[in-house]
Amino acid sequence: MLNKIRNIQWRQVAYFFLGLVALVGVGMLMSLVNKKDQVQVCSALKVMVEGQETFIDQNDITSMIKEKFGTVVGKPLNQLPLQQIETELKKSPYVSEADVHMDMDGTMQVAVQQREVVVRIISQNGQQYYVDSKSNKIPVTLKYVPHVMVANGYINEGYKKALEPVKSQLVKDLVKIVEDTKGDDLWSNQIVQLYVNDERDIEIVPRVGSQQLIIGNADSLSYKLNRLKSFYTHILPKVGTDAYSKVNVKYSGQIVCERNGDWFIDSLQMKMHTK
């Protein structure tokens, strides 16, 4: 009998009882947490809106939540559909991301990321919309007018509904031109607007000078912009800002200028290839 008792692996027995105690403890803790969630109510609502734009603010988000889900402060936590609130907030055309969660003290934390718009399009028939960084269309609002480039003229693509993707290559080219020039010191100051002429060529409307700067489309864009820079740094200082009515870099390997209705190709300009 004594030998049988000695053969018992007391360490395993101790581990078994410790595991049993831990399991019972976890069960009691979960029971307390569930019971607390059933009785704890939402004590406050805090909203944080992030992003460079100001399409929406904290009051807008609070109103959206209240309209769809009623007053959340004072409601039991188990009656708050956090995932549904997130989904509803993301339906706004001005919201790219939303996160809703509860703090330990019962505060509902709502974090919203606004969409970043790139360009404002005014179509040929007068429809207006923004295009965001993901090439989706954002409706224009009177509440807030972001400081972004405007493109107008012979643009056929209009606006039907929020967040529909851009379809035409022309509008895609306009977006590319804005994105590729916004970080450049010269173009950030010199480009006032983009215009699409009746030949569907994209023109840069300059801040300094009255000449039309024709780039055509966004193909080989960096090469075209570098040739325009060459025009500004090598030619314009010699002839003055009003010497030419048009400067065209849409053709490969040359800068074509028009002055007083007389087209000519300056051989010096043809040799100005960017390195």
Side-chain angles (χ1 to χ4, degrees):
M1 184 68 177
L2 183 60
N3 290 333
K4 291 183 178 181
I5 295 177
R6 288 176 178 176
N7 290 332
I8 296 176
Q9 297 182 0
W10 294 106
R11 180 175 295 181
Q12 292 183 358
V13 173
Y15 284 154
F16 172 78
F17 280 105
L18 286 175
L20 183 62
V21 171
L23 184 62
V24 172
V26 170
M28 294 178 61
L29 180 61
M30 294 299 297
S31 177
L32 291 174
V33 170
N34 291 332
K35 184 176 180 180
K36 182 179 180 182
D37 285 343
Q38 292 175 2
V39 298
Q40 186 178 9
V41 298
C42 177
S43 58
L45 171 63
K46 291 186 178 181
V47 178
M48 180 173 61
V49 180
E50 301 174 340
Q52 299 179 353
E53 316 298 348
T54 320
F55 285 113
I56 52 178
D57 55 27
Q58 288 88 344
N59 291 330
D60 295 325
I61 298 300
T62 301
S63 298
M64 290 170 60
I65 295 175
K66 183 176 182 181
E67 180 181 354
K68 294 291 183 179
F69 303 96
T71 302
V72 297
V73 177
K75 276 188 177 181
L77 300 186
N78 60 356
Q79 295 182 16
L80 296 176
L82 303 185
Q83 188 62 48
Q84 293 181 31
I85 294 176
E86 278 189 14
T87 302
E88 194 65 33
L89 291 176
K90 291 178 182 178
K91 291 181 180 179
S92 169
Y94 307 113
V95 174
S96 62
E97 295 293 338
D99 177 73
V100 181
H101 65 273
M102 301 300 302
D103 280 352
M104 294 297 293
D105 61 357
T107 299
M108 179 185 288
Q109 298 281 358
V110 179
V112 170
Q113 178 69 43
Q114 294 188 82
R115 294 185 181 274
E116 179 184 355
V117 295
V118 177
V119 63
R120 181 171 183 166
I121 302 293
I122 304 176
S123 68
Q124 187 174 352
N125 62 5
Q127 286 186 312
Q128 299 188 36
Y129 55 91
Y130 296 107
V131 179
D132 71 358
S133 56
K134 298 180 180 178
S135 293
N136 295 316
K137 297 178 185 178
I138 309 299
V140 173
T141 173
L142 297 177
K143 178 179 178 180
Y144 170 67
V145 180
H147 184 66
V148 294
M149 189 71 65
V150 175
N152 65 348
Y154 291 84
I155 304 173
N156 291 328
E157 183 169 359
Y159 177 87
K160 293 181 180 179
K161 61 180 180 179
L163 300 182
E164 65 175 337
V166 169
K167 297 179 181 179
S168 68
Q169 187 60 48
L170 176 60
V171 176
K172 292 178 181 178
D173 284 353
L174 291 169
V175 172
K176 179 173 176 55
I177 292 170
V178 173
E179 290 184 325
D180 285 11
T181 57
K182 64 182 179 181
D184 186 275
D185 291 337
L186 173 62
W187 300 127
S188 296
N189 294 319
Q190 181 65 350
I191 299 179
V192 175
Q193 184 177 332
L194 297 179
Y195 177 75
V196 180
N197 61 31
D198 55 359
E199 296 182 0
R200 302 304 189 271
D201 285 333
I202 300 173
E203 300 180 8
I204 290 176
V205 180
R207 186 181 305 277
V208 178
S210 57
Q211 65 273 2
Q212 296 173 257
L213 305 177
I214 304 173
I215 61 176
N217 54 35
D219 292 344
S220 303
L221 181 59
S222 60
Y223 180 60
K224 294 176 181 179
L225 292 175
N226 284 337
R227 277 187 286 153
L228 275 181
K229 280 189 177 182
S230 296
F231 169 80
Y232 272 100
T233 56
H234 294 89
I235 301 175
L236 208 61
K238 297 178 181 179
V239 300
T241 58
D242 297 323
Y244 299 115
S245 60
K246 290 183 180 180
V247 178
N248 193 333
V249 296
K250 65 178 287 188
Y251 304 106
S252 177
Q254 61 188 27
I255 303 175
V256 181
C257 300
E258 178 183 358
R259 179 164 49 186
N260 297 325
D262 183 18
W263 277 92
F264 66 94
I265 301 177
D266 191 320
S267 60
L268 175 63
Q269 296 171 31
M270 291 180 64
K271 296 177 182 178
M272 294 182 61
H273 296 282
T274 56
K275 297 181 180 181

